[in-house]
Amino acid sequence: MTSGGRRLTRRQAARLALAAQGLGRRRPVNADRAALRRTVRRIGLFQVDSVNVFARAHEMPMFSRCGPYDPALLTGAVEGRSPLLHETWAHVASLVDIELEPALRYRRRDAAREAWRSMVDLLDENPRLVDEVIGRLADGPATARQISGGERGTSPEEWGWNWSASKTALEWAWRCGRVAVAGRTASFEKIYALPDQVLPARIRALPEPGAEQGQRELAVRAATALGVFTPADLADYFRTRRRPTDAALSTLASEGLVEPVTVDGERGWWMCSGASVPRRIEGCTVVSPFDPVVFRRERALRLHALDYRIEIYVPRARRRFGYYCLPFLLGQDFVARVDLRADRAAGVLEVASAWREPGAEESPDLPGRRTVATALAGHLEEVAEWRGLDRIRVLGAGDLAPDLARAMG
């Protein structure tokens, strides 16, 4: 199935992948709702993560592609009357293009295949608990804490079930599509609601595709967002199961939508048919560890030579680059990493550490240390402005920190 086809170098494939993600393009004049809509349609999903030491993960893809924007724009695109995104289970918990909601319904019907053990145990022990917690949402959206605390009728403890069980029941109902997420509180708790309280009538009225068609629609969107990919990359984008994803890939190939390619002579790669490889990528941005361009670590290594591991779960003494180190894209290459912290009370963006990308000094393709430090310094001014911070403080850790401090003046 993958014989023949075009031949790409790794650097050509990397440019194609970055262009497909909307990185390296000229930024829009206005980072407004129209720009957000284009970004959503292009990449399909923003992975959700709770860590807020600098910025939450789902807030960053729009910034990385469009520059500083009002975070209220994203909130409105999820919670407003005409949502562009809805929170659902796709590439784990993600804000997903609202137009893809029908294509994901087959996965909700089949949710038991992906259920956590705690969900399975709960359903075995008390299947009626799910109906009980859903019933508490009839009067409007609520958090698990509000339901568990008895703000919506009697508390689960009085039914014989604790807060944890009721939260698990709500999460299962969400995974099944019987419950939706209307938004998040300031402390990042999910606000659960009935689907007709969240999803627009236009979306709910769309016909439900069968599993095969739903899988195909997800594969098309993933292929378009990836640009160039392996079958494993395609399956990982929306975390679809491998066998039906492979079947969908065969369908796309038979329809002429994708074609096989080699990357540095390696078979097993695919690209969108007719896609042109950009001659240059003019990127200059930090990206979230959960950005679609890097969230599959093996792909980031193979295409972008980025050997990345998030270290928030690594004990402090064993961290190499920092708690929440963000890759820095310059041109078409990831050339540095910065561990950023927002000291909101003091109005300071702290650069806890700044590192040159390992091996960069030996690579003829990557810019020199001074060029990287100067570009990063300019970008961090933009980052601070976006987060509403007045000053930047380079704390000194990392081999790029002295150059960055000098570039910051």
Side-chain angles (χ1 to χ4, degrees):
M1 186 170 75
T2 59
S3 60
R6 294 173 60 179
R7 299 178 181 179
L8 302 177
T9 66
R10 184 191 64 81
R11 291 187 64 76
Q12 286 176 322
R15 291 199 297 274
L16 185 57
L18 290 168
Q21 280 286 308
L23 289 161
R25 289 172 161 261
R26 186 183 298 275
R27 285 179 172 178
V29 175
N30 296 311
D32 55 12
R33 183 177 169 91
L36 176 58
R37 180 184 292 108
R38 289 192 295 271
T39 301
V40 169
R41 298 295 183 258
R42 177 179 291 277
I43 67 176
L45 79 168
F46 303 166
Q47 184 175 335
V48 172
D49 187 75
S50 62
V51 175
N52 197 29
V53 65
F54 162 61
R56 298 200 195 277
H58 53 281
E59 297 176 320
M60 288 195 62
M62 174 67 176
F63 170 77
S64 297
R65 290 153 179 82
C66 300
Y69 73 99
D70 183 352
L73 183 68
L74 182 59
T75 302
V78 176
E79 301 178 17
R81 296 182 63 181
S82 299
L84 300 176
L85 296 149
H86 72 301
E87 185 170 341
T88 191
W89 194 262
H91 183 98
V92 300
S94 305
L95 300 180
V96 181
D97 185 350
I98 196 79
E99 302 296 330
L100 285 173
E101 192 277 335
L104 289 163
R105 292 175 192 169
Y106 83 93
R107 292 184 66 178
R108 298 184 187 122
R109 292 197 313 269
D110 204 22
R113 285 180 176 267
E114 302 176 29
W116 297 335
R117 185 67 206 179
S118 59
M119 294 176 177
V120 174
D121 290 344
L122 177 69
L123 292 172
D124 287 342
E125 293 171 15
N126 186 2
R128 292 187 298 176
L129 182 58
V130 175
D131 293 330
E132 292 278 2
V133 295
I134 292 174
R136 297 298 187 269
L137 298 174
D139 294 331
T143 65
R145 192 174 304 276
Q146 289 172 322
I147 291 174
S148 299
E151 293 182 32
R152 292 296 173 85
T154 57
S155 69
E157 283 77 1
E158 294 182 49
W159 318 336
W161 297 93
N162 60 23
W163 183 92
S164 177
S166 60
K167 168 69 172 176
T168 300
L170 282 164
E171 284 290 292
W172 169 249
W174 174 55
R175 295 281 286 270
C176 292
R178 295 182 63 191
V179 159
V181 172
R184 296 274 186 160
T185 67
S187 57
F188 211 60
E189 291 179 279
K190 283 193 183 84
I191 302 172
Y192 298 95
L194 299 178
D196 61 5
Q197 297 167 343
V198 175
L199 298 174
R202 175 184 66 84
I203 295 296
R204 299 198 311 272
L206 292 174
E208 179 176 337
E212 185 175 323
Q213 181 62 23
Q215 180 71 64
R216 179 194 173 280
E217 290 182 25
L218 294 178
V220 168
R221 288 296 295 273
T224 303
L226 291 166
V228 59
F229 53 90
T230 66
D233 295 335
L234 193 69
D236 183 73
Y237 203 81
F238 289 105
R239 293 284 170 93
T240 49
R241 289 182 290 121
R242 182 61 186 273
R243 184 174 294 179
T245 303
D246 287 348
L249 178 58
S250 294
T251 299
L252 300 189
S254 68
E255 294 173 353
L257 298 179
V258 298
E259 61 184 85
V261 295
T262 60
V263 175
D264 275 354
E266 181 184 13
R267 297 180 183 275
W269 291 85
W270 293 81
M271 65 178 285
C272 294
S273 297
S276 58
V277 179
R279 291 186 177 183
R280 294 176 61 84
I281 293 289
E282 299 293 344
C284 184
T285 186
V286 290
V287 301
S288 162
F290 304 108
D291 191 289
V293 78
V294 296
F295 62 25
R296 178 162 160 77
R297 308 303 188 211
E298 180 184 353
R299 172 183 170 81
L301 179 60
R302 295 175 74 187
L303 273 187
H304 305 294
L306 178 66
D307 189 2
Y308 181 83
R309 178 188 182 190
I310 193 166
E311 299 185 18
I312 56 177
Y313 304 114
V314 176
R316 181 188 295 271
R318 293 170 54 193
R319 290 176 194 148
R320 183 178 179 189
F321 298 109
Y323 177 79
Y324 201 66
C325 228
L326 309 179
F328 176 54
L329 178 71
L330 183 62
Q332 77 162 72
D333 297 295
F334 290 98
V335 299
R337 308 179 189 204
V338 282
D339 187 14
L340 301 181
R341 303 172 188 167
D343 184 342
R344 298 172 179 88
V348 175
L349 176 65
E350 293 184 346
V351 184
S353 64
W355 300 87
R356 193 78 165 89
E357 189 61 27
E361 301 304 325
E362 293 76 39
S363 173
D365 296 319
L366 300 188
R369 183 181 297 270
R370 182 175 298 178
T371 299
V372 171
T374 300
L376 180 57
H379 182 61
L380 290 179
E381 295 279 357
E382 192 175 53
V383 168
E385 175 191 352
W386 175 51
R387 301 315 294 177
L389 304 171
D390 302 321
R391 292 177 292 128
I392 302 173
R393 182 185 301 134
V394 180
L395 299 183
D399 59 6
L400 188 62
D403 299 91
L404 180 60
R406 284 191 290 271
M408 298 295 305

